[in-house]
Amino acid sequence: MCANKVTVLVVGAGARGEIYARYALEHPDRMQVVGVAEPREAYRQQFVAQHKIAPNNVFCDWQEAAAQPKMADVVLICTQDNMHKDPAVAFANLGYHILLEKPLAPTPEDCRIIIDAVKRNNVLLAVAHVLRYTRYTQKLKSLLDDGVIGDIVSMQHLEPVGYWHQAHSFVRGNWRNEAESSFMLLQKSCHDLDWIRYIMGDNCKDVGSFGSLSHFVKENQPAGAADRCLDCQVEATCPWSACKIYLGENHKCTPHFRRVLTADPSEENVRQALRDGPYGRCVYRCDNDVVDHQVVNLRFAHQQTVTFTMTAFTKMEDRKTRLFGTRGYLEGDGEQIRVFDFLTDKETVHQIEEIAAGTQTQMGGHGGGDYYLMDRFIHAVMANDQNMILSGPDESLESHLMVFAAERARKENSLVTL
């Protein structure tokens, strides 16, 4: 650590790596990015210029960086899901504190290997379960700990993936195919099962699950449709059209998503990416195999029950939760928490701002979770205190094992006991 400033190596300068690294630009007194490993030249050059990284600390892959003497206090590992274990173990062995993009890894065995390496080397680990860190979650957790609804009896939790987000990430994009990344519940909803575990504050004992890939299959391609949206005569009538999602002033996706197609997301470059790349394909003619909807039922140690639903077939909006207790009922949507008290028959409404008043940041993603994850992690490194991290080794491993159990239950049509 240099003069109380945490130095950081970023492995994977794509969407997540770029966002987390913004913390250094907003708080240069706390964090400095001193190295990067990124195989794509355009993204690597942009990142180097953004953070003014010295040429000798710029690498095309993580192995090159890991072959060097330790150059930073921290490594942010933001590679693809199936590229987490090897760099995590290597950098733990070198003594780096680690912030690891979720999920830990695509298999329970690899998850355990990562956790063992972190503990063996006595380095800090934060898994990027950003939902834990939002001001909404912390307020909700505080209310429950204060007993506003008594003992929790059951929960309903919805993850509305969003129709165009499903098409972008899980039909056309990097997370469409289980063999190339991981299964849908792990890559998209380990966030949510981890959050459920955090809110319930108890161990999960039994898991059941149902779900399938029902819509984004070739049998559902409309008559007259082409294999690419730019060539399609019925594109204007398709809600999943890549032209609708990415092109024009009123395109559906955010700049963050558009930049995934090309490092320079001009209209011309985006159109060319749709012509040549995976994001211009018809959603019914891709090599996707992950589910587009899934339900998970959970039973916790004291007989509390949870139903979790993940579905593509929603608008892009915040997660929604209902909690049923012995003294009241609570409903939350990321921005507002409504509590109904059974004794008084009165409702109390709590409005939550994503970012605390007076805090200036461009890291508002995931309800402010991106910012507060980095803020908490950097302060934990400064203090060398794992307890300051809300998503450390043991509980992250536990919630991942819940996810693996749910997928096993879905595939085997069985109830899995943890």
Side-chain angles (χ1 to χ4, degrees), residues 8-12 17 20-21 31 74-78 97-100 374 377:
V8 174
L9 164 67
V10 176
V11 174
Y20 295 144
M31 172 177 156
V74 166
V75 60
L76 308 185
I77 299 177
C78 303
H97 301 304
I98 298 172
L99 187 145
L100 180 60
M374 285 303 301
F377 177 64

Side-chain angles (χ1 to χ4, degrees), residues 181-325:
S181 55
S182 56
F183 57 93
M184 180 75 177
L185 195 69
L186 182 67
Q187 58 191 264
K188 187 67 181 79
S189 298
C190 68
H191 265 330
D192 294 272
L193 269 69
D194 177 81
W195 187 87
I196 288 168
R197 168 64 181 84
Y198 181 58
I199 295 299
M200 295 299 287
D202 206 351
N203 299 113
C204 181
K205 295 299 183 184
D206 300 292
V207 184
S209 184
F210 302 94
S212 65
L213 172 58
S214 64
H215 184 69
F216 302 100
V217 294
K218 62 182 181 181
E219 291 80 9
N220 289 331
Q221 186 176 35
D227 288 350
R228 285 193 172 269
C229 295
L230 290 176
D231 303 323
C232 186
Q233 295 181 354
V234 299
E235 168 271 322
T237 65
C238 179
W240 318 99
S241 163
C243 302
K244 172 186 176 183
I245 294 173
Y246 302 111
L247 294 176
E249 293 182 1
N250 298 317
H251 61 79
K252 298 301 298 182
C253 73
T254 64
H256 161 74
F257 282 92
R258 212 166 181 240
R259 189 175 175 270
V260 173
L261 277 67
T262 169
D264 178 14
S266 66
E267 190 79 358
E268 180 182 357
N269 288 346
V270 170
R271 183 174 289 276
Q272 191 61 47
L274 297 184
R275 171 62 63 194
D276 300 333
Y279 294 94
R281 294 179 294 176
C282 175
V283 292
Y284 304 106
R285 302 297 294 183
C286 295
D287 59 340
N288 58 302
D289 61 9
V290 300
V291 304
D292 51 27
H293 68 291
Q294 188 164 353
V295 172
V296 180
N297 292 322
L298 308 162
R299 181 166 59 189
F300 282 75
H302 293 87
Q303 301 303 309
Q304 317 97 308
T305 56
V306 176
T307 298
F308 168 64
T309 299
M310 173 196 69
T311 178
F313 307 104
T314 65
K315 63 182 180 180
M316 192 78 163
E317 58 185 353
D318 289 326
R319 292 157 167 89
K320 301 185 188 315
T321 305
R322 293 173 174 173
L323 283 153
F324 307 91

Side-chain angles (χ1 to χ4, degrees), residues 92 98 113-125 393:
I98 298 172
I113 288 170
I114 291 172
I115 298 303
D116 288 345
V118 166
K119 290 185 169 183
R120 184 175 65 252
N121 290 286
N122 196 31
V123 296
L124 304 184
L125 171 70

